[in-house]
Amino acid sequence: MTVQGDSAEQEWVDDHAGPVVRPYAVTRGRARPVTGTFDLISLVMATRADVASESGLGPEHVAIVGLCQRMQSVAEIAAHLDLPVGTVRVLLGDLVARNLVQVREPRATTAGLPDDSVFEAVINGLRAL
Amino acid sequence: MDFGPSERPAGVAPLPTAIKILIAGGFGVGKTTMVGAVSETRPLRTEEVLTETGVGIDDLSGVEEKGTTTVAMDFGRITISDDLVLYVFGTPGQDRFWFVWDELALGAIGAVVLADTRRLADCFPSIDYFEGRGTPFVVAVNCFEGARQHRLDEVQAALNLDPGVPVVLCDARQRESSKEVLITLLEHAMKTREARRRAVD
Ligand SMILES: Nc1nc2c(ncn2[C@@H]2O[C@H](COP(=O)(O)OP(=O)(O)OP(=O)(O)O)[C@@H](O)[C@H]2O)c(=O)[nH]1
Ligand SMILES: [Mg+2]
């Protein structure tokens, strides 16, 4: 869901329709993905152009694969499909288990901050914007 | 950049790395505005559904409507290069949802704490949080009415900041100004990293 630029109705309709009940149906009641952790900024790319013929996938799985023909983060997938992040994680787990998407986890920074080359690249990139 | 399924080698991961920066601060201080100012698209919104206890949904046994809260996060994307994508996340309200903050702050390279000089104390929880976690941060005083009458060193003192923490003026509505804030943060985070490495040696 976008935040700015949409009319007030568009912005709030989905909130009232409730992101609470629908996600359980989408994941068939599962709270956790079968595989993977999926950080908000893990990057996802489909490995196939079309999965409509795969059996056992729901429309949301197909929608994720469609969206991820171009690389998207987990957060972007959730925003574009208007699903809670937890639901998207479960669906992504299904897709990873079938090798239908590849996922790049973010740079592990628990051991500290990234090295200077990353900082410099971001600073230069921002200056060039 | 369009890969056909046959051109994309199986098993190879040509995906870039993602990094993130957080934009925090009190209610209505301009977090979403800053996310939008630097982002290459309109800010997006994503939601987490939490149980009231705030530990995520563990038990789905039938009580679908009871005890859940939705927390919204605004974010935007800046594609730096083919290898690097920067995400900027606005944090949800400061006094609740620490569960979501922890998830956001994990792996973040730094944070901007937005401050409004008319209600400086509103940013205390954010500052305490990032100090406690050791996340490098800068304070950006947003140019609401009256902000320019305050000297930045006064703000620094009033917030009881470590002298190394940069305090800058900004207008979150302006792309250039918001970009400068992010650059100041990145330079500060770089110095912080350098200082930590020296402390270890
Ligand atoms: N004058 C002035 N107004 C600003 C500035 N930045 C933001 N605003 C305005 O302040 C209001 C609140 O901005 P938001 O970006 O929604 O603030 P927020 O921190 O996301 O608010 P919450 O998410 O509700 O806590 C909006 O009307 C903005 O247009 C600024 O630098 N100067
Ligand atoms: Mg906001």
Side-chain angles (χ1 to χ4, degrees), chain A residues 1-2 6 15 20 24 29 32 41 43 46-47 71 73 76 78-79 84-85 89 102 104 109 114 116 126 129, chain B residues 8 12-13 15-19 42-43 45-47 58 60 64 74-75 77 80 87 103 107 179 187 193:
Chain A
M1 182 174 26
T2 52
D6 286 344
D15 286 353
V20 174
Y24 298 112
R32 301 198 184 292
I41 59 166
L43 296 174
T47 57
M71 181 203 72
S73 62
E76 283 169 305
V85 177
R89 289 189 170 115
Q102 53 171 328
R104 175 89 183 254
T109 49
D116 285 358
L126 282 172
L129 277 186
Chain B
R8 202 180 298 144
V12 180
L15 293 177
T17 311
I19 54 176
R42 290 181 306 181
R45 170 170 289 189
T46 182
E47 287 170 348
D58 287 313
L60 300 179
E64 282 143 336
D74 302 327
F75 68 100
R77 162 167 160 174
I80 300 290
Y87 287 94
E103 180 181 1
K179 261 171 55 180
E187 288 169 347
R193 178 180 160 282

Side-chain angles (χ1 to χ4, degrees), chain B residues 26-34 74 142-144 170-173:
Chain B
F27 180 74
V29 76
K31 301 180 292 290
T32 304
T33 304
M34 181 170 273
D74 302 327
N142 208 350
C143 294
F144 290 105
C170 79
D171 185 332
R173 297 164 301 181

